[in-house]
Amino acid sequence: MQFQKILVVGLGQLGLPAAKYVKEKGFEVFGFDASLEAVDRAERLGGIKRAHDFRDYDAYIICISTHAHDDMFSPNIEGVLSIADSISKEAKRDGALVSIESTVPKGTSEKVFEILRHRLHVVHAPHRWYALEEKEHGVNQLRVIGGVCDCCLREGMRFYDRQSVEDNNNNNNSYSNNTTSTIHKMATIEPSLNTKMVTYRKSLEIPMHPVSRIEIAETTKIVENAHRYLQIAFAEELYLYCQANNISFPELRDALNTKWNVNILEPREGIGGHCLPKDTKMFLESSNSIRSRILTAARGVDQNYRTFRASLNHRPRVEESNNG
Ligand SMILES: NC(=O)c1ccc[n+]([C@@H]2O[C@H](COP(=O)([O-])OP(=O)(O)OC[C@H]3O[C@@H](n4cnc5c(N)ncnc54)[C@H](O)[C@@H]3O)[C@@H](O)[C@H]2O)c1
């Protein structure tokens, strides 16, 4: 399969820059969204063509929201499964790629794979995109990728990776160091790849970190955000401690952050954006047996901090949300 015609599903805060990036890389990009406004915006701002169905594409990139309609802090993957169902019914090209870029709980990609019955390949390549620092932390920063099967991962790497797999058929051993390391990573996961590399010229040129199981890719994303949640909750607790003990929080924070391995964040307005609370909840709910006690406590701290702020009658300010 040569990748040329790409459909981006979900053209919101993340999907629009993702679609624009794919277009910049020379692919023919179409967009689909439940909101006509989002489709119009993508056409106007990014020249993204509107899609009317899911029929005729080489790759599908899913960037839709994964929270409940009535509660932005609660995970919901019904939309992702329903998109998978539409792709399964309509897609004409066997072997096309479905990449889930939305943040999803562990096990979601397998469900998508079952719906598609492996007629199409499934990878998960979660985003680390950050609106406020799009230049440094945009679409093409280093990302983790997992595939449901080895062949899914191979197709995903071919589509995404900066130095995807170069020509190994001419035996000239002329790989750059970075390419060699990509091949090494892939070969660790799928040893047969070492001898099977073929030439693929066009890719998204994003540096990718392949992992051996798709659950690792799913878990990586939600743990990254849970980790950020913890860091902010600690700052909130420290702030409350300072209030109770008549200590200047900014001065304490400045003093602490002079140490090389300490980085206390600012607590600001509480842990916001839809990603951190939702993804932390996804992580908390991801295990049947072990529930993170430290994250459960952190959610309580955030609640206390918000109550304290409300009691001070602080007007909400629009500012950076420490999001990730
Ligand atoms: N925004 C970020 O900074 C960021 C960063 C990393 C990961 N993510 C993840 O990316 C995903 C998308 O986030 P976002 O910020 O772009 O959300 P968003 O709300 O800005 O956009 C989501 C878009 O998906 C559309 N949509 C929802 N359900 C749909 C469906 N069933 N069919 C078609 N379209 C549908 C909505 O109309 C909306 O335009 C989420 O899983 C989020 O956690 C977001």
Side-chain angles (χ1 to χ4, degrees), residues 12-14 33-34 63-66 83 102-103 129 274-275 278:
Q13 202 183 12
L14 180 76
D33 197 293
C63 290
I64 69 168
S65 33
T66 45
I83 296 293
S102 299
T103 305
W129 187 82
H274 57 264
C275 287
K278 162 178 72 70

Side-chain angles (χ1 to χ4, degrees), residues 50 60 80 123 144 160 172 191 215 225 251 258 262 273 302 312:
R50 61 185 66 212
Y60 300 80
V80 173
V123 294
V144 169
Y160 279 97
N172 64 4
E215 290 84 353
N225 277 358
E251 195 175 352
T258 58
V262 174
D302 182 54
L312 292 181

Side-chain angles (χ1 to χ4, degrees), residues 9-16 32-35 38 41 54 62-67 69 78-80 82-83 101-104 126-131 221 225 274-275 278-279 282 323-324:
V9 185
L11 297 165
Q13 202 183 12
L14 180 76
L16 178 55
F32 180 88
D33 197 293
S35 147
R41 190 178 50 226
F54 294 83
I62 300 179
C63 290
I64 69 168
S65 33
T66 45
H67 58 75
H69 287 305
E78 288 309 311
V80 173
S82 131
I83 296 293
E101 295 198 356
S102 299
T103 305
V104 291
H127 264 279
R128 289 165 166 169
W129 187 82
Y130 184 36
K221 173 65 197 176
N225 277 358
H274 57 264
C275 287
K278 162 178 72 70
D279 300 348
M282 272 188 197
N323 215 334

Side-chain angles (χ1 to χ4, degrees), residues 27-172:
F27 295 89
E28 192 184 358
V29 183
F30 291 75
F32 180 88
D33 197 293
S35 147
L36 281 182
E37 207 183 317
V39 176
D40 287 344
R41 190 178 50 226
E43 199 167 40
R44 200 174 61 251
L45 302 180
I48 307 300
K49 298 178 201 165
R50 61 185 66 212
H52 300 287
D53 56 45
F54 294 83
R55 289 162 61 82
D56 201 15
Y57 298 95
D58 305 316
Y60 300 80
I61 300 179
I62 300 179
C63 290
I64 69 168
S65 33
T66 45
H67 58 75
H69 287 305
D70 54 350
D71 175 9
M72 70 191 288
F73 295 160
S74 285
N76 185 316
I77 58 159
E78 288 309 311
V80 173
L81 300 184
S82 131
I83 296 293
D85 191 52
S86 300
I87 295 173
S88 176
K89 287 178 179 143
E90 296 179 30
K92 283 203 310 197
R93 301 189 188 176
D94 291 354
L97 180 70
V98 174
S99 175
I100 304 164
E101 295 198 356
S102 299
T103 305
V104 291
K106 180 162 64 65
T108 306
S109 309
E110 281 279 357
K111 287 184 184 153
V112 168
F113 183 80
E114 279 163 24
I115 292 170
L116 296 166
R117 299 186 310 280
H118 204 183
R119 191 165 72 76
L120 286 80
H121 298 290
V122 177
V123 294
H124 180 44
H127 264 279
R128 289 165 166 169
W129 187 82
Y130 184 36
L132 295 167
E133 290 164 12
E134 204 177 339
K135 204 158 171 232
E136 303 83 1
H137 302 119
V139 175
N140 69 343
Q141 63 183 301
L142 176 64
R143 275 204 245 168
V144 169
I145 182 169
V148 177
C149 296
D150 290 341
C151 56
C152 299
L153 180 59
R154 189 169 57 232
E155 287 301 288
M157 286 296 281
R158 214 157 69 66
F159 180 51
Y160 279 97
D161 197 41
R162 171 173 289 166
Q163 275 118 4
S164 195
V165 231
E166 296 291 335
D167 186 3
N168 197 24
N169 293 334
N170 58 14
N171 287 324
N172 64 4

Side-chain angles (χ1 to χ4, degrees), residues 234-244 247 249-250 267 305 308-309 312 314:
F234 184 67
E236 290 177 339
E237 190 157 65
L238 202 52
Y239 181 92
L240 294 175
Y241 171 93
C242 288
Q243 289 293 321
I247 292 174
F249 174 81
Y305 177 79
F308 177 79
R309 297 282 298 198
L312 292 181
H314 269 274

